[in-house]
């Protein structure tokens, strides 16, 4: 299903001429169509979170170079689609969402501060925190990198190898997640793990390369196996391929419980 995304992303590309009223979200509620957009327009706590997200996105874009900013814009579009799909999943499960009138009726039944509203709010609040912490400085591999749906943490080398942990989740669809640890060796300007195994099946083995490009960490995945199933051989068979970039963040600008919050947001 194709949807038009109207959201805080527009604030990165089109500066606003006047201040947004404190009680309104960052977008025109007359154009709201998805359940997530309708909920943001209906519930003050979500509208406030959306405004904070718009501000954080503008600030992050102002700190980054052009290539990183364009990449972040694409990541933000994917984030918004992700929480649209996740929110639909929380409301209707695997059923197709109803028409616009049905979506509006369902949103009217959601109370501000309810578990459903709080889960969506946490997605936006956490995203704003991570955007505020994006670090434009070029650096080495060691550190924390985040994306629309997960994070990669790279530790200092021990005996010539860097410990790496990756965690990716799907808000609203808890079973679609990927978590693994691997040891990477330095080869020129890349980190390489010749073999990463996924616990779901012994034959799901992949070779991963990590590369730094500006503020972004890119993952290149090579699968040695051939099959009619495109998921076979991948490190994370239940989720999308690992080609989307992760952005370096300054850990000192994040709260101490950030890992726990990222874990909860994936559920």
């Amino acid at each position: 299903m194709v949807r038009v995304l109207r959201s805080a992303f527009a604030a990165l590309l089109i500066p606003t001429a006047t201040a947004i009223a404190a009680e309104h979200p960052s977008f025109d509620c007359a154009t709201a169509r998805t359940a997530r957009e309708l909920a943001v327009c209906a519930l003050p706590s979500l509208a406030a979170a959306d405004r904070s997200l718009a501000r954080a996105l503008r600030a992050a874009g102002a700190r980054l170079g052009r290539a990183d900013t364009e990449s972040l814009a694409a990541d933000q579009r994917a984030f918004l689609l992700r929480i649209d799909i996740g929110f639909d999943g929380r409301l209707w499960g695997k059923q197709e969402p109803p028409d616009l009138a049905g979506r509006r009726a369902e949103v009217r039944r959601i109370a501000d501060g309810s578990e459903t509203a709080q889960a969506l709010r946490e997605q936006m609040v956490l995203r704003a925190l991570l955007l505020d912490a994006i670090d434009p400085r070029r650096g080495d591999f060691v550190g924390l990198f985040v994306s629309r749906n997960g994070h990669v943490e790279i530790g200092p080398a021990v005996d010539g190898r860097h410990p790496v942990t990756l965690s990716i989740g799907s808000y609203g669809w808890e079973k679609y997640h990927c978590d693994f640890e691997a040891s990477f060796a330095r080869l020129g300007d890349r980190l390489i793990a010749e073999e990463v195994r996924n616990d779901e099946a012994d034959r799901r083995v992949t070779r991963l390369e990590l590369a730094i490009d500006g503020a972004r960490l890119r993952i290149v995945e090579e699968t040695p196996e051939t099959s009619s199933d495109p998921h076979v051989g991948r490190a994370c068979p239940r989720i999308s391929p690992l080609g989307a970039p992760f952005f370096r963040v300054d850990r000192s600008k994040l709260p101490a419980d950030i890992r726990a919050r990222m874990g909860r947001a994936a559920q």
Side-chain angles (χ1 to χ4, degrees), residues 197-216:
R197 289 184 176 271
N198 186 286
D199 291 339
E200 292 191 25
D202 287 340
R203 65 195 182 110
R204 299 189 188 277
V205 179
T206 188
R207 179 182 188 272
L208 295 181
E209 293 187 6
L210 307 183
I212 297 288
D213 183 8
R216 291 159 287 159

Side-chain angles (χ1 to χ4, degrees), residues 2-14:
V2 178
R3 297 193 183 100
V4 177
L5 298 176
R6 303 169 179 88
S7 63
F9 167 65
L12 183 63
L13 303 178
I14 305 175

Side-chain angles (χ1 to χ4, degrees), residues 69 80 103 132 207 212 220 247 250 252 265:
T69 298
L80 293 169
R103 293 195 291 272
D132 276 332
R207 179 182 188 272
I212 297 288
V220 178
F247 295 83
D250 183 345
S252 69

Side-chain angles (χ1 to χ4, degrees), residues 97-175:
D99 60 14
L100 182 57
R103 293 195 291 272
R104 284 176 172 155
E106 181 64 27
V107 165
R108 283 196 292 269
R109 288 193 282 269
I110 300 173
D112 207 356
S114 65
E115 182 180 348
T116 300
Q118 283 291 91
L120 178 57
R121 179 180 177 276
E122 179 62 17
Q123 295 293 317
M124 293 187 286
V125 169
L126 176 61
R127 177 70 172 180
L129 283 172
L130 296 175
L131 290 174
D132 276 332
I134 286 180
D135 188 351
R137 295 172 296 179
R138 182 178 293 275
D140 198 10
F141 285 98
V142 176
L144 178 64
F145 300 81
V146 301
S147 73
R148 59 184 177 263
N149 61 349
H151 66 276
V152 175
E153 192 158 12
I154 305 175
V158 178
D159 296 329
R161 302 189 70 87
H162 291 265
V164 175
T165 60
L166 178 143
S167 180
I168 295 177
S170 298
Y171 159 63
W173 303 94
E174 288 84 353
K175 72 176 182 177

